[in-house]
């Protein structure tokens, strides 16, 4: 039993480590191959580090800016979120700071700022969203976003978008206002891809029609930490048989486990899914 638990923990930490590595590599590629040649500023603290690098004429590099700007938030993450989350976030920040000069290149794939903004934003959103999905923070605004989400149930990508006005003004003053507009496009694309890849924050309401409500409820609660509401006395309009309707809310990340649980108990159960904009009350949020 103990060996099984240790194996599961090792597997979990392996995914977190790989999430940190992937984030560092993808961010470095986005910065060196798209943002720099396109004169595009990123969102969040990476964009702030780019702005500091520009204003200091390279005396404070992007790598140093990323590391220095994130230090206070890493301390906050350790206190307010979790120490484990803070450790892997620190790893992601350090790796991204190290990989930026490693992937530095003189190759220009395209000088088109619109293409650079869109592809750089997509890569950044994919990197951040994937890291968060594996329980790894990337520092900066995603920590602030997670704190806002815990408090106000606000999506991470939307919070990031709201905090980037200053960076866009810096882009406009430095390269010209057309590049600020291109950077805004990159930020919007990045925010969208964060919400696409960070499936833990996307909530799905599941309605299940079955003639095995008690077994279904028990199996779902055993498989995942989710409550189920049973509505008795439902009646099939076509079959004429009595049924029960079950309602539960899960995250997109848990949807596969829920479908598996439904199929294991009642392969003939009817179920439908719909996106949830907001939940109140006691909806369990897993530790980051």
């Amino acid at each position: 039993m103990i060996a099984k638990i240790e194996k599961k923990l090792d597997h979990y930490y392996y995914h977190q480590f790989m999430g940190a590595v992937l984030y560092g590599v993808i961010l470095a590629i986005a910065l060196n191959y798209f943002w720099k040649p396109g004169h595009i500023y990123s969102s969040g603290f990476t964009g702030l580090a780019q702005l500091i690098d520009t204003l200091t004429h390279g005396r404070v590099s992007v790598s140093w800016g990323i590391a220095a700007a994130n230090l206070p938030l890493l301390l906050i993450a350790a206190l307010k979120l979790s120490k484990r989350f803070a450790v892997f976030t620190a790893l992601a920040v350090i790796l991204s700071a190290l990989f930026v000069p490693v992937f530095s290149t003189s190759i220009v794939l395209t000088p088109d700022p619109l293409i650079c903004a869109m592809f750089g934003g997509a890569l950044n959103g994919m990197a951040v969203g994937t890291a968060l999905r594996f329980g790894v923070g990337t520092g900066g605004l995603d920590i602030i976003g997670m704190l806002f989400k815990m408090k106000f149930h606000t999506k991470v990508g939307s919070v990031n978008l709201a905090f980037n006005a200053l960076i866009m003004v810096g882009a406009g003053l430095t390269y010209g206002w057309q590049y600020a507009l291109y950077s805004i496009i990159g930020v919007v694309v990045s925010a969208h891809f964060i919400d696409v890849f960070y499936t833990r924050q996307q909530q799905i309401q599941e309605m299940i029609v079955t003639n095995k409500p008690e077994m279904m409820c028990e199996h779902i609660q055993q498989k995942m930490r989710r409550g189920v509401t049973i509505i008795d006395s439902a009646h099939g309009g076509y079959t004429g048989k009595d049924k029960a309707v079950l309602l539960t809310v899960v995250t997109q990340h848990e949807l596969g486990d829920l479908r598996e649980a439904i199929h294991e108990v009642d392969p003939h159960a009817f179920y439908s899914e719909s996106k949830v904009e907001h939940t109140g009350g006691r909806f369990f949020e897993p530790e980051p």
Side-chain angles (χ1 to χ4, degrees):
M1 181 67 179
I2 295 176
K4 185 177 180 181
I5 295 173
E6 288 177 348
K7 184 178 180 181
K8 185 176 181 180
L9 288 174
D10 290 342
H11 182 70
Y12 181 65
Y13 288 134
Y14 168 78
H15 277 82
Q16 287 192 307
F17 176 77
M18 290 306 299
V21 173
L22 283 173
Y23 169 75
V25 171
I26 297 173
L27 177 70
I29 292 173
L31 181 66
N32 288 293
Y33 284 88
F34 293 102
W35 291 330
K36 280 186 177 180
H39 301 304
I40 303 299
Y41 279 147
S42 170
S43 60
F45 277 33
T46 303
L48 178 61
Q50 289 178 269
L51 182 59
I52 294 172
D53 177 74
T54 302
L55 295 177
T56 60
H57 303 287
R59 287 191 294 270
V60 180
S61 67
V62 174
S63 296
W64 281 107
I66 290 173
N70 279 288
L71 180 59
L73 286 175
L74 290 173
L75 297 175
I76 294 174
L79 295 173
K80 297 293 186 179
L81 297 174
S82 75
K83 291 182 175 61
R84 173 180 53 79
F85 177 78
V87 168
F88 281 101
T89 299
L91 177 62
V93 169
I94 292 170
L95 289 175
S96 62
L98 291 175
F99 284 143
V100 166
V102 169
F103 282 85
S104 181
T105 180
S106 58
I107 298 174
V108 178
L109 296 179
T110 174
D112 189 323
L114 180 59
I115 294 177
C116 288
M118 293 180 67
F119 277 85
L123 285 172
N124 182 67
M126 181 176 68
V128 174
T130 302
L132 290 173
R133 180 173 180 171
F134 287 139
V136 178
T138 58
L141 294 181
D142 72 288
I143 294 178
I144 297 175
M146 293 188 76
L147 293 171
F148 268 72
K149 181 177 179 292
M150 290 175 61
K151 183 82 173 171
F152 305 110
H153 302 283
T154 306
K155 286 190 174 183
V156 174
S158 302
V159 173
N160 282 357
L161 190 62
F163 276 88
N164 281 298
L166 180 61
I167 307 301
M168 299 307 104
V169 171
L173 293 174
T174 305
Y175 295 122
W177 291 108
Q178 72 272 25
Y179 289 101
L181 297 177
Y182 287 131
S183 296
I184 290 172
I185 292 173
V187 170
V188 172
V189 172
S190 178
H192 172 72
F193 272 80
I194 289 172
D195 287 334
V196 167
F197 279 85
Y198 183 34
T199 55
R200 288 182 185 272
Q201 69 168 344
Q202 300 171 21
Q203 297 174 354
I204 304 294
Q205 178 176 280
E206 192 89 3
M207 183 186 74
I208 309 164
V209 180
T210 180
N211 55 4
K212 301 177 180 178
E214 299 297 337
M215 289 178 59
M216 185 74 73
C217 180
E218 182 179 354
H219 196 61
I220 290 173
Q221 290 175 343
Q222 286 178 352
K223 206 170 187 68
M224 61 189 67
R225 188 175 175 180
R226 294 299 172 199
V228 182
T229 299
I230 301 176
I231 303 175
D232 292 316
S233 302
H235 191 73
Y238 177 75
T239 63
K241 297 180 180 180
D242 290 334
K243 299 280 187 178
V245 177
L246 278 62
L247 293 177
T248 187
V249 176
V250 300
T251 65
Q252 181 77 37
H253 185 70
E254 299 168 315
L255 199 53
D257 289 338
L258 178 60
R259 291 171 179 171
E260 185 179 333
I262 294 171
H263 184 75
E264 287 172 353
V265 174
D266 186 1
H268 302 291
F270 172 83
Y271 61 91
S272 63
E273 298 158 357
S274 58
K275 290 185 178 180
V276 175
E277 292 297 326
H278 176 74
T279 55
R282 299 175 61 185
F283 183 78
F284 171 69
E285 293 284 358
E287 182 183 275

